[in-house]
């Protein structure tokens, strides 16, 4: 979903919702983290990661700085919803709106590149024996 710019006269803000039922791939999200959080964007959301089943994680970024954290068990934090990955990005277009379509497409492409594929997700519990790449940000993985 995309809104703006131009919703109101003089308003150059735009919003893009990046959403998938798939979790982030633990290595690829780190590979693409700078591309997803760089620049004068504001982004907030919730996500899950393939090697941390049942965990809800926070995505909170602004102006090139990003924090993500363990929010707790998905069933408690996001009760009534299935695990999903959803980030809402807000940006500001330049005076002429140049490059806006290209920027939105770039963000969509990078977001999808950081997700697991359905085939990778089918590995199931195998994820739990792989290296824990996200431990510095989310703490040690509990098995």
């Amino acid at each position: 979903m995309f809104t703006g710019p131009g919703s109101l006269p003089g308003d150059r803000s735009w919003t893009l919702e990046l959403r998938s039922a798939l979790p982030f791939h633990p290595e690829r999200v780190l590979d693409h983290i700078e591309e997803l959080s760089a620049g004068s964007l504001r982004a907030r959301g919730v996500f899950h990661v393939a090697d941390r089943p049942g965990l809800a994680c926070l995505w909170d970024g602004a102006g090139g700085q990003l924090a993500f954290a363990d929010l707790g068990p998905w069933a408690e934090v996001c009760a009534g919803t299935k695990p999903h990955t959803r980030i809402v990005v807000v940006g500001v277009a330049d005076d002429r709106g140049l490059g806006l379509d290209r920027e939105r497409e770039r963000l969509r492409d990078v977001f999808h590149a950081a997700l697991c594929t359905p085939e990778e997700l089918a590995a199931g519990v195998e994820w739990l024996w792989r290296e824990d790449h996200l431990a510095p940000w989310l703490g040690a993985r509990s098995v």
Side-chain angles (χ1 to χ4, degrees), residues 31-49:
D31 291 343
H32 294 292
I33 206 160
E34 189 171 326
E35 295 169 277
L36 285 167
S37 61
S40 59
L41 303 174
R42 178 75 172 110
R44 293 202 70 183
V46 65
F47 65 96
H48 62 134
V49 186

Side-chain angles (χ1 to χ4, degrees), residues 31-107:
D31 291 343
H32 294 292
I33 206 160
E34 189 171 326
E35 295 169 277
L36 285 167
S37 61
S40 59
L41 303 174
R42 178 75 172 110
R44 293 202 70 183
V46 65
F47 65 96
H48 62 134
V49 186
D51 67 349
R52 294 168 186 273
L55 181 68
C57 301
L58 168 75
W59 182 284
D60 190 7
Q65 300 295 312
L66 176 66
F68 57 87
D70 173 344
L71 291 172
W74 193 279
E76 292 175 20
V77 177
C78 303
T81 67
K82 292 182 180 180
H84 59 273
T85 302
R86 180 179 181 257
I87 300 171
V88 177
V89 181
V90 178
V92 178
D94 66 18
D95 291 337
R96 297 169 290 170
L98 297 178
L100 185 56
D101 291 334
R102 206 168 31 250
E103 175 67 359
R104 289 192 317 260
E105 191 61 35
R106 181 192 70 77
L107 285 168

Side-chain angles (χ1 to χ4, degrees), residues 26 30 49 51-52 55 68-70 130-142:
L30 291 177
V49 186
D51 67 349
R52 294 168 186 273
L55 181 68
F68 57 87
D70 173 344
R130 294 183 183 182
E131 182 179 347
D132 188 358
H133 294 279
L134 297 175
W137 296 274
L138 300 177
R141 182 174 55 211
S142 60

